[in-house]
Amino acid sequence: EPEVTQTPSHQVTQMGQEVILRCVPISNHLYFYWYRQILGQKVEFLVSFYNNEISEKSEIFDDQFSVERPDGSNFTLKIRSTKLEDSAMYFCASNRQVAGDTQYFGPGTRLTVL
Amino acid sequence: GEDVEQSLFLSVREGDSSVINCTYTDSSSTYLYWYKQEPGAGLQLLTYIFSNMDMKQDQRLTVLLNKKDKHLSLRIADTQTGDSAIYFCAEKGELTGGGNKLTFGTGTQLKVEL
């Protein structure tokens, strides 16, 4: 069964450094998402991406964040200058179409900012 | 904005039924989902229900939706120790062309005791 994959599983970085989190969505899916979950808190929506552009973003997704689909398979989340409060589990998700289609989540990347 | 709430903990004995409840505020919800998260793992889709349905059954899982009260529940029959996990309720709002974020609840920690 096809699945969403994410790398790395765990990323440790110093405050102020740039990180890129990588995702490979399911191959025939057209809509891509990033969510994050701070330890012990809700899963929060960050951004959705369709047709090579951002379709919706949350208040969390400020200028420090960017997303890209650099080729036909990868979908990346970049944090330019990490802060301590960026420490969280970051989940990528994808779905094939909007209506009546469920989002399938990857296993997550745990980001630890020191 | 949209909000989804769940009780934080539920403890049941193995073999009993578990009922996890969820309330939401978005009156334009189209789909509601239940995801399962095991320790250190990602979000596994369990089941979903379209907003014009009252009930959906899938093997040991029964989803009940009271749209008037904006109340969703997940019943797990014959609960097993392997069902111990965090269960997230999530809702998808009015469908748009650019993808639809999910709004997640706080998660309910289900503990199954022998």
Side-chain angles (χ1 to χ4, degrees), chain A residues 87-114:
Chain A
S87 293
M89 182 75 94
Y90 287 81
F91 292 106
C92 173
S94 70
N95 62 261
R96 188 164 48 88
Q97 61 188 29
V98 172
D101 202 27
T102 55
Q103 290 176 27
Y104 292 89
F105 283 76
T109 293
R110 179 164 298 285
L111 175 66
T112 302
V113 182
L114 302 176

Side-chain angles (χ1 to χ4, degrees), chain B:
Chain B
E2 304 87 2
D3 194 22
V4 179
E5 295 294 337
Q6 302 174 237
S7 52
L8 291 180
F9 299 103
L10 177 65
S11 180
V12 299
R13 289 186 184 274
E14 190 178 39
D16 287 351
S17 292
S18 308
V19 179
I20 302 170
N21 293 300
C22 170
T23 58
Y24 60 97
T25 59
D26 187 1
S27 56
S28 61
S29 282
T30 52
Y31 290 85
L32 295 118
Y33 302 86
W34 285 103
Y35 284 87
K36 176 183 180 183
Q37 185 182 38
E38 296 183 71
L43 298 166
Q44 175 195 352
L45 175 68
L46 283 180
T47 188
Y48 68 94
I49 189 168
F50 186 45
S51 59
N52 70 354
M53 296 169 64
D54 299 323
M55 186 183 90
K56 182 178 179 182
Q57 187 148 5
D58 185 1
Q59 299 182 338
R60 291 192 298 125
L61 306 178
T62 303
V63 179
L64 294 177
L65 175 60
N66 182 329
K67 196 171 181 181
K68 174 176 167 290
D69 293 340
K70 300 191 185 67
H71 182 268
L72 181 75
S73 67
L74 174 69
R75 179 177 179 269
I76 306 173
D78 186 26
T79 313
Q80 303 296 307
T81 54
D83 295 324
S84 292
I86 299 176
Y87 290 79
F88 288 95
C89 168
E91 67 95 15
K92 180 187 284 189
E94 187 175 350
L95 299 181
T96 64
N100 291 95
K101 66 178 183 182
L102 296 180
T103 301
F104 282 83
T106 49
T108 298
Q109 173 88 54
L110 174 64
K111 183 179 177 184
V112 182
E113 298 175 326
L114 295 172

Side-chain angles (χ1 to χ4, degrees), chain A residues 1-108:
Chain A
E1 186 178 322
E3 56 185 22
V4 177
T5 59
Q6 291 185 242
T7 54
S9 57
H10 191 189
Q11 173 91 47
V12 181
T13 190
Q14 296 289 327
M15 192 168 56
Q17 295 296 303
E18 174 183 288
V19 294
I20 297 176
L21 310 182
R22 301 180 192 281
C23 168
V24 179
I26 295 172
S27 63
N28 63 349
H29 285 192
L30 302 176
Y31 298 84
F32 314 113
Y33 308 82
W34 284 101
Y35 293 80
R36 78 170 185 192
Q37 184 184 28
I38 295 171
L39 188 64
Q41 297 187 24
K42 289 186 183 188
V43 176
E44 302 171 290
F45 168 77
L46 293 178
V47 66
S48 59
F49 190 86
Y50 168 68
N51 200 25
N52 279 320
E53 60 183 21
I54 290 173
S55 48
E56 187 177 3
K57 59 183 181 180
S58 71
E59 292 173 355
I60 303 166
F61 195 88
D62 61 22
D63 292 344
Q64 292 298 313
F65 292 88
S66 62
V67 288
E68 194 179 26
R69 187 153 165 84
D71 52 44
S73 59
N74 290 283
F75 179 51
T76 61
L77 174 69
K78 181 193 290 185
I79 310 175
R80 286 189 187 80
S81 177
T82 50
K83 302 188 281 285
L84 295 176
E85 54 265 38
D86 294 326
S87 293
M89 182 75 94
Y90 287 81
F91 292 106
C92 173
S94 70
N95 62 261
R96 188 164 48 88
Q97 61 188 29
V98 172
D101 202 27
T102 55
Q103 290 176 27
Y104 292 89
F105 283 76

